Amino acid sequence: MKKARRRIDVNLDELDRVLDGARQAPLSQDDYEKLKEALHALAAMLVRPRNTEKTRAVLGTSEGSEDSPGTQPESNASAPPGHGRNGAGAFINSRKIAIAHAKLKHGDRCPECERGNVYGQKEPKILVRIVGQAPLAATVYSLERLRCGTCGQVFTAQEPEGVGPEKYDETAAAMIAQLKYGSGTPFYRLEQLEGQMGIPLPAATQWEVVEEAAEIIKPARDELIRQAAQGELVHNDDTSMRVLGLVREPSDERTGVFTSGIVSSWQGRKIALYFTGAKHAGENLAEVLKQRAKQASPIIQMCDALSRNVPKLPAGVEILLANCLARGRTQFIEVAKDFPDECRYVLEMLGQVYSHDAQARERSLTPDQRLQFHQAHSGPVMEQLHHWLEAQFAERKTEPNSGLGKAIKYLLRHWQALTLFLRKAGAPLDNNLVERALKRAVLHRKNALFYRTLNGAEVGDLFMSLIHTCQLCGANSFDYLIELQRHAKELATGPAEWMPWNYQEVLAQTDTRACG
């Protein structure tokens, strides 16, 4: 272990005295230590903190070492010229305006040469212009009123077509929910922004709007839970959360509050679910799996090695437990500074496994083909790594209670669950899918700090589940929330038809029947 540096308190006056004295005579031992500590502290402050866990960033590149398998050299080739980061085709929901030529039309004589004719081109010239506007816009209608001078009857102008009876329509509720639970914008912050735009939108009103909308679209969330329970693979984990008004049972001795994230893969689709409360991720997963069909095959569960992530299964439900290889890798990253050579070996071996998994994705291999590919290429690598890990203790090369020893014990203790991808088709390497999903809850915690009540947390979980599921399946979450509210009756009678991946087909059929 690297010897800890002794702390020495210094100030600028002392450093000035040391430097002035060094011009007259050699430094004393005490002055040398003070100056050395000050220089080391300054150097530590100037070092840019590491923001990636890639092997090269953690350990650097050793002299004479070559890139490990799977690494790719950075390309210095400049990007081809285009129309900025996003071309006009990326603005799929923008207003499209076609502008005809002011003087010419298809087939007219060319005004330049006066011999040929001009013909319309297949591709017009495209201009993209972006303007700023408030997230929620208000329109004030002034309906003229006329009063009879004899009988006193008042006649009011008819409101324009399409103006509904509600002050806040479906688009307003969808936008508030999208900003709050999709982008992490607190109600009070949106209130300030809208107020600066001249549109009063109190935070209490925003809550009332989204709460009412949540009650209408709740069947969609319930159907997501039912379908998630039928998945072939499920990821789960949790993160801490605060609920100010959480009331516990008198017998409940636990003090933690969590938001659990569950991502289920079923029939090629991914479903995201969020649950906030006193229950751990394993308990929430057990509640979801109560709706699993009894004849279904065992489900693969990917999670961290914490016992609270593993559910107590309902009768008739079996799981194949897989643990996160990335979390095992992190154990070595945390001690890489003190054991660079040993950690480099482990990280590069795991890097080969991830390289093989990337190749399987690039080749679009089926789950069975991916399993065979990993068995042929990653199997020998993991076996070699396992022998190396055991040898560290058997040959007394590593102290079991050291940081490296604890990292090695973590891998050995959970080896079976960490290597399920070598025995079961479809088993993933890590739990990063749900870690990314939980960032949505972390963003809410960072900006809004807490939920006021458990009911508020349930509303947030509902919208986060719908919004993130839309993101996973490539649907537009804003449009989806609007259509769920507009078709509340159809949603209540047939929620399975209004999932994010098929609601547009249902809308198209509805429009076709209406036109017919």
Side-chain angles (χ1 to χ4, degrees), residues 40-110:
H40 279 277
L42 177 60
M45 294 174 62
L46 295 177
V47 173
R48 180 175 298 179
R50 172 171 52 85
N51 58 2
T52 176
E53 292 187 351
K54 290 186 176 181
T55 303
R56 181 178 298 180
V58 173
L59 295 170
T61 303
S62 59
E63 295 183 3
S65 66
E66 297 180 356
D67 290 341
S68 59
T71 60
Q72 298 179 355
E74 295 182 359
S75 174
N76 293 324
S78 59
H83 300 280
R85 293 185 178 181
N86 296 299
F91 296 84
I92 55 177
N93 286 335
S94 60
R95 187 163 57 111
K96 306 295 193 303
I97 300 177
I99 302 177
H101 198 280
K103 299 179 180 180
L104 298 175
K105 63 180 183 297
H106 182 83
D108 285 353
R109 182 68 66 182
C110 174

Side-chain angles (χ1 to χ4, degrees), residues 349-501:
M349 294 294 280
L350 294 179
Q352 294 182 47
V353 176
Y354 273 91
S355 175
H356 297 151
D357 200 56
Q359 294 176 40
R361 286 195 302 272
E362 291 173 359
R363 300 179 186 180
S364 300
L365 300 183
T366 65
D368 290 330
Q369 292 173 336
R370 173 181 175 271
L371 174 62
Q372 296 175 4
F373 184 79
H374 269 303
Q375 288 174 338
H377 296 84
S378 301
V381 175
M382 295 301 289
E383 183 178 359
Q384 180 180 346
L385 176 60
H386 190 257
H387 290 325
W388 183 89
L389 295 172
E390 290 183 324
Q392 299 304 301
F393 293 151
E395 300 175 10
R396 302 187 177 218
K397 296 179 179 179
T398 300
E399 168 60 40
N401 291 327
S402 66
L404 178 62
K406 293 178 181 178
I408 292 175
K409 286 192 289 186
Y410 181 91
L411 288 187
L412 293 176
R413 186 166 60 249
H414 305 291
W415 190 259
Q416 285 297 110
L418 289 169
T419 57
L420 184 66
F421 69 95
L422 295 175
R423 302 184 301 276
K424 179 65 177 177
L429 297 184
D430 52 49
N431 206 28
N432 290 347
L433 183 63
V434 78
E435 295 287 352
R436 290 191 291 269
L438 281 174
K439 287 184 178 180
R440 195 173 297 278
V442 173
L443 181 63
H444 176 273
R445 182 184 65 204
K446 177 181 178 181
N447 289 327
L449 302 182
F450 54 81
Y451 290 109
R452 188 176 298 276
T453 64
L454 192 58
N455 179 50
E458 292 175 353
V459 171
D461 292 339
L462 180 147
F463 280 111
M464 286 187 189
S465 299
L466 295 175
I467 291 172
H468 199 71
T469 300
C470 285
Q471 179 177 326
L472 291 175
C473 68
N476 186 311
S477 56
F478 177 66
D479 291 342
Y480 180 60
L481 295 177
I482 293 173
E483 298 302 336
L484 289 183
Q485 296 175 77
R486 289 176 175 173
H487 299 84
K489 293 182 179 179
E490 296 90 335
L491 173 63
T493 57
E497 298 180 354
W498 292 91
M499 293 293 94
W501 47 82

Side-chain angles (χ1 to χ4, degrees), residues 162-183:
V163 178
E166 301 294 335
K167 182 176 181 179
Y168 298 92
D169 68 358
E170 300 88 355
T171 62
M175 177 57 73
I176 296 173
Q178 186 73 46
L179 291 172
K180 168 70 171 176
Y181 305 109
S183 301

Side-chain angles (χ1 to χ4, degrees), residues 303-310 323-324 327 410 414:
C303 63
D304 294 337
L306 294 175
S307 59
R308 70 190 192 189
N309 290 332
V310 181
N323 282 159
C324 179
R327 182 55 60 92
Y410 181 91
H414 305 291

